[in-house]
Coordinates of all heavy atoms in Angstrom, one line a residue:
M23 N 47.3 10.3 56.3 CA 45.9 10.2 55.9 C 45.4 8.8 55.9 O 46.1 7.9 55.4 CB 45.7 10.8 54.5 CG 45.6 12.3 54.5 SD 45.2 12.9 52.9 CE 46.9 13.3 52.3
R24 N 44.2 8.6 56.4 CA 43.6 7.2 56.6 C 44.4 6.3 57.5 O 44.4 5.1 57.4 CB 43.4 6.5 55.3 CG 42.3 7.1 54.4 CD 40.9 6.7 54.9 NE 39.9 7.4 54.2 CZ 39.3 7.0 53.1 NH1 39.5 5.8 52.6 NH2 38.3 7.8 52.6
Q25 N 45.1 7.0 58.5 CA 46.0 6.1 59.4 C 45.2 5.1 60.2 O 45.7 4.1 60.6 CB 46.8 7.0 60.3 CG 46.1 7.9 61.3 CD 47.1 8.9 61.9 OE1 48.2 9.2 61.4 NE2 46.6 9.5 63.0
A26 N 43.9 5.4 60.5 CA 43.0 4.4 61.1 C 42.3 3.7 60.0 O 41.5 4.4 59.3 CB 42.1 5.0 62.0
G27 N 42.6 2.5 59.6 CA 42.0 1.9 58.4 C 42.3 0.4 58.3 O 43.0 -0.2 59.2
R28 N 41.9 -0.1 57.2 CA 41.8 -1.5 57.0 C 43.2 -2.2 56.9 O 43.3 -3.5 57.0 CB 41.0 -1.9 55.7 CG 39.5 -1.8 56.0 CD 38.7 -2.2 54.8 NE 38.9 -1.1 53.8 CZ 38.4 -1.2 52.6 NH1 37.9 -2.3 52.1 NH2 38.6 -0.1 51.7
Y33 N 42.2 -2.5 63.5 CA 41.0 -1.8 63.0 C 39.9 -2.7 62.5 O 38.8 -2.6 62.7 CB 41.5 -0.9 61.8 CG 40.3 -0.3 61.0 CD1 39.7 0.9 61.5 CD2 39.7 -0.9 59.9 CE1 38.6 1.5 60.8 CE2 38.7 -0.4 59.3 CZ 38.1 0.8 59.7 OH 37.0 1.3 59.1
R37 N 36.1 -2.9 63.7 CA 35.1 -2.7 62.8 C 34.1 -3.8 62.7 O 32.9 -3.7 62.6 CB 35.7 -2.5 61.4 CG 34.7 -2.0 60.4 CD 35.1 -1.8 59.0 NE 33.9 -1.5 58.2 CZ 33.7 -2.0 57.1 NH1 34.7 -2.6 56.4 NH2 32.6 -1.8 56.5
F43 N 30.4 0.0 58.9 CA 31.2 1.3 59.0 C 30.5 2.4 59.6 O 31.0 3.1 60.4 CB 31.6 1.6 57.5 CG 32.4 2.9 57.5 CD1 33.7 3.0 58.0 CD2 31.8 4.1 56.9 CE1 34.4 4.2 57.9 CE2 32.5 5.2 56.9 CZ 33.8 5.3 57.4
I70 N 43.8 11.8 63.8 CA 42.6 12.4 63.1 C 41.4 11.7 63.5 O 41.3 10.4 63.5 CB 42.8 12.4 61.6 CG1 41.6 13.1 60.9 CG2 43.1 11.0 61.0 CD1 41.9 13.6 59.5
L71 N 40.4 12.5 64.0 CA 39.1 12.0 64.3 C 38.6 10.9 63.4 O 38.7 11.2 62.2 CB 38.2 13.2 64.3 CG 36.7 13.0 64.3 CD1 36.2 12.4 65.6 CD2 35.9 14.2 63.9
F72 N 38.1 9.8 63.9 CA 37.5 8.8 63.0 C 36.1 9.1 62.7 O 35.2 9.1 63.6 CB 37.7 7.4 63.6 CG 37.3 6.4 62.5 CD1 38.3 5.9 61.6 CD2 36.0 6.0 62.3 CE1 38.0 5.0 60.6 CE2 35.7 5.0 61.3 CZ 36.7 4.6 60.5
A73 N 35.8 9.5 61.4 CA 34.5 9.8 61.0 C 34.5 9.7 59.5 O 35.4 9.1 58.9 CB 34.0 11.2 61.4
D74 N 33.6 10.4 58.8 CA 33.7 10.4 57.3 C 33.1 11.7 56.8 O 32.2 12.3 57.4 CB 33.0 9.2 56.7 CG 33.4 9.0 55.3 OD1 34.4 8.4 55.0 OD2 32.7 9.5 54.3
I75 N 33.6 12.1 55.6 CA 33.1 13.4 55.0 C 31.6 13.2 54.6 O 30.9 14.3 54.4 CB 33.9 13.9 53.8 CG1 33.8 12.9 52.6 CG2 35.4 14.0 54.2 CD1 34.3 13.5 51.3
L76 N 31.1 12.0 54.5 CA 29.7 11.8 54.0 C 28.7 11.8 55.2 O 27.5 11.7 54.9 CB 29.6 10.5 53.2 CG 30.6 10.6 52.0 CD1 30.5 9.2 51.2 CD2 30.2 11.7 51.1
F88 N 26.6 2.1 53.1 CA 27.8 1.6 52.5 C 27.6 0.2 51.9 O 27.1 -0.7 52.6 CB 29.0 1.6 53.5 CG 29.6 2.9 53.7 CD1 29.0 3.9 54.4 CD2 30.8 3.2 53.1 CE1 29.6 5.2 54.6 CE2 31.4 4.5 53.2 CZ 30.8 5.5 53.9
P94 N 30.5 4.0 49.4 CA 29.3 4.7 49.9 C 28.3 4.9 48.8 O 28.6 5.1 47.6 CB 29.9 6.0 50.3 CG 31.2 6.2 49.6 CD 31.7 4.9 49.3
F141 N 37.9 17.3 61.0 CA 37.9 17.5 59.6 C 36.5 17.5 59.0 O 35.5 17.1 59.7 CB 38.7 16.3 58.9 CG 38.0 15.0 58.9 CD1 37.1 14.7 57.8 CD2 38.1 14.1 59.9 CE1 36.5 13.5 57.8 CE2 37.4 12.9 59.9 CZ 36.6 12.6 58.9
T147 N 33.8 18.8 47.0 CA 33.9 17.4 47.0 C 32.7 16.8 47.7 O 32.2 15.8 47.2 CB 35.2 17.0 47.9 OG1 36.3 17.3 47.0 CG2 35.3 15.6 48.2
Y151 N 29.5 14.1 45.8 CA 28.9 12.8 46.3 C 27.4 13.0 46.4 O 26.6 12.1 46.2 CB 29.5 12.4 47.6 CG 30.9 11.9 47.5 CD1 32.0 12.7 47.6 CD2 31.1 10.6 47.2 CE1 33.3 12.2 47.5 CE2 32.4 10.1 47.0 CZ 33.5 10.9 47.2 OH 34.8 10.4 47.0
G157 N 30.8 7.8 44.6 CA 32.1 8.3 44.1 C 32.1 8.1 42.6 O 31.5 7.2 42.0
F204 N 39.2 18.4 53.3 CA 39.5 17.5 52.2 C 38.8 17.9 51.0 O 37.6 17.7 50.9 CB 39.1 16.0 52.6 CG 40.0 15.4 53.7 CD1 39.7 15.5 55.0 CD2 41.2 14.7 53.3 CE1 40.4 14.9 56.0 CE2 42.0 14.1 54.3 CZ 41.6 14.2 55.6
S206 N 39.1 16.5 47.9 CA 39.7 15.3 47.1 C 39.5 15.4 45.6 O 40.3 14.9 44.9 CB 39.1 14.1 47.6 OG 39.3 13.9 49.0
W207 N 38.5 16.2 45.2 CA 38.2 16.2 43.7 C 38.4 17.7 43.2 O 37.9 18.0 42.1 CB 36.7 15.8 43.5 CG 36.5 14.4 43.9 CD1 35.6 14.0 44.8 CD2 37.2 13.2 43.4 NE1 35.7 12.6 45.0 CE2 36.6 12.1 44.1 CE3 38.2 13.0 42.4 CZ2 37.0 10.8 43.9 CZ3 38.6 11.6 42.2 CH2 38.0 10.6 42.9
R245 N 43.3 18.5 46.4 CA 44.0 17.4 45.8 C 44.0 17.5 44.3 O 43.0 17.9 43.7 CB 43.4 16.0 46.2 CG 44.2 14.8 45.7 CD 43.7 13.5 46.4 NE 42.5 13.1 45.7 CZ 42.5 12.2 44.7 NH1 43.6 11.8 44.2 NH2 41.3 11.9 44.1
H322 N 48.1 10.8 49.6 CA 46.7 10.5 49.7 C 46.6 9.4 50.7 O 47.6 9.1 51.4 CB 46.2 10.0 48.3 CG 44.7 10.1 48.2 ND1 43.9 9.4 47.2 CD2 43.7 10.7 48.9 CE1 42.6 9.7 47.3 NE2 42.5 10.5 48.4
Ligands
1CP401 O1 36.2 0.2 56.9 C1 36.0 0.5 55.6 O2 35.8 -0.3 54.7 C2 35.7 1.9 55.3 C3 36.8 2.7 54.6 C4 36.7 4.1 55.1 C5 37.5 4.7 56.2 C6 38.5 4.0 57.0 C7 35.8 5.0 54.6 C8 34.8 4.9 53.6 N1 36.0 6.2 55.3 C9 37.0 6.0 56.3 C10 37.4 7.0 57.3 C11 37.8 8.4 56.9 N2 37.4 9.0 55.7 C12 38.6 9.3 57.6 C13 39.0 9.1 59.1 C14 40.1 8.1 59.3 C15 41.5 8.4 59.0 O3 41.8 9.2 58.1 O4 42.3 7.8 59.7 C16 38.7 10.4 56.8 C17 39.5 11.7 57.1 C18 38.0 10.2 55.6 C19 37.8 11.2 54.6 C20 37.1 10.8 53.3 N3 36.1 10.0 53.1 C21 37.5 11.4 52.1 C22 38.5 12.5 51.9 C23 39.9 11.9 51.8 C24 40.2 11.1 50.6 O5 40.4 9.9 50.8 O6 40.3 11.6 49.5 C25 36.6 10.9 51.1 C26 36.6 11.2 49.6 C27 35.7 10.0 51.8 C28 34.6 9.3 51.2 C29 34.7 7.8 51.3 N4 34.5 7.2 52.6 C30 34.8 5.8 52.4 C31 35.3 5.6 51.1 C32 35.6 4.3 50.5 C33 35.2 6.8 50.4 C34 35.6 7.1 49.0 C35 34.4 6.7 48.1 C36 34.6 6.9 46.6 O7 35.0 8.0 46.1 O8 34.2 6.1 45.9

Side-chain angles (χ1 to χ4, degrees):
M23 278 187 263
R24 289 283 169 95
Q25 63 190 17
R28 279 179 294 170
Y33 170 85
R37 190 178 170 220
F43 177 70
I70 182 157
L71 162 70
F72 191 86
D74 196 82
I75 67 164
L76 301 177
F88 279 77
F141 74 91
T147 288
Y151 289 95
F204 288 93
S206 304
W207 301 116
R245 190 168 75 90
H322 201 195

